[in-house]
């Protein structure tokens, strides 16, 4: 039972363009959402979060959008840089429970 | 500088052997977690601990055991009862449980021969 789904296993984007990573969830109890970035052979690092009371949160080149009615969130990276190439995990949580998606591999081509 | 240290980074084990993965943090975080990552799957929670001398099973605790005798340390033992132990194991901590921002270690890759 995958409560958090990242349906695109990979995404390839040209440097300077926008990267959009998507995430869908099924459990309406989730009230906070996060994105993590992971380089090979390293642990994930926290990127950006959003609580269910907001629909947008921005941090520099990274913006997370939340559509509660659609149970969908997305991460926008603009402009994309080669150093952004990594695996991106979305996660959704409530209380002590945090559920991760399977990840999307982003490749930014220069 | 503060962080989470996992060791060993790579570990090979014969079938039937128990193995213990170390996780130490100097962030003064109350909560610690163990996750397992398999290809094509998200991080799945094995065990978590909100406070010293207390821990809770996660979604896939069978075949694993943990202890939390010190705030800084949360070792994970992969026992011979774990049917598919070959995986990448990640330890994490957070200021308190329910605080979504987790700080992860670099991971330990366990291979069963």
């Amino acid at each position: 039972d995958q409560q958090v789904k990242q349906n695109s296993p990979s995404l390839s984007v040209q440097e300077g363009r926008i990267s959009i990573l998507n995430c869908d969830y099924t459990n309406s109890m989730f009230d906070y959402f996060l994105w993590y970035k992971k380089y090979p052979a390293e642990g994930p690092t926290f990127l950006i979060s959003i609580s269910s009371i907001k629909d947008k949160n921005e941090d520099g080149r990274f913006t997370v959008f939340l559509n509660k009615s659609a149970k969908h969130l997305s991460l926008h990276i603009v402009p994309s840089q080669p150093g952004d190439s990594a695996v991106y995990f979305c996660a959704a949580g409530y209380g002590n429970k945090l559920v991760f998606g399977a990840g999307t591999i982003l490749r930014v081509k220069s | 500088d503060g962080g989470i240290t996992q060791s060993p980074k790579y570990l090979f084990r014969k079938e039937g052997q128990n193995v213990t993965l170390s996780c130490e943090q100097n962030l003064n975080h109350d909560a610690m977690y163990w996750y397992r990552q398999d290809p094509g799957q998200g991080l799945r929670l094995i065990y978590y601990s909100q406070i010293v001398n207390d821990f809770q099973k996660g979604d896939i605790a069978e075949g694993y055991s943990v202890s939390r005798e010190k705030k800084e340390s949360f070792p994970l033992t992969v026992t011979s009862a774990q049917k598919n132990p070959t995986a990448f194991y990640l330890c994490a901590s957070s200021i308190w449980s329910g605080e979504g921002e987790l700080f992860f270690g670099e991971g330990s890759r366990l291979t069963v021969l």
Side-chain angles (χ1 to χ4, degrees), chain B residues 3-68:
Chain B
I4 299 182
T5 303
Q6 286 186 243
S7 62
K9 196 157 186 169
Y10 299 96
L11 186 61
F12 297 88
R13 175 194 108 174
K14 290 182 183 177
E15 275 194 39
Q17 288 181 332
N18 291 358
V19 63
T20 297
L21 307 179
S22 168
C23 178
E24 303 277 330
Q25 55 102 356
N26 60 4
L27 299 167
N28 200 31
H29 285 171
D30 285 317
M32 296 187 75
Y33 312 79
W34 275 104
Y35 286 89
R36 170 181 170 140
Q37 185 188 5
D38 294 285
Q41 297 202 41
L43 307 180
R44 292 182 292 164
L45 183 64
I46 304 172
Y47 267 98
Y48 67 100
S49 168
Q50 298 173 271
I51 198 167
V52 174
N53 291 324
D54 183 60
F55 47 82
Q56 310 294 329
K57 290 183 180 179
D59 299 318
I60 54 165
E62 187 176 346
Y64 299 98
S65 66
V66 292
S67 62
R68 186 89 186 275

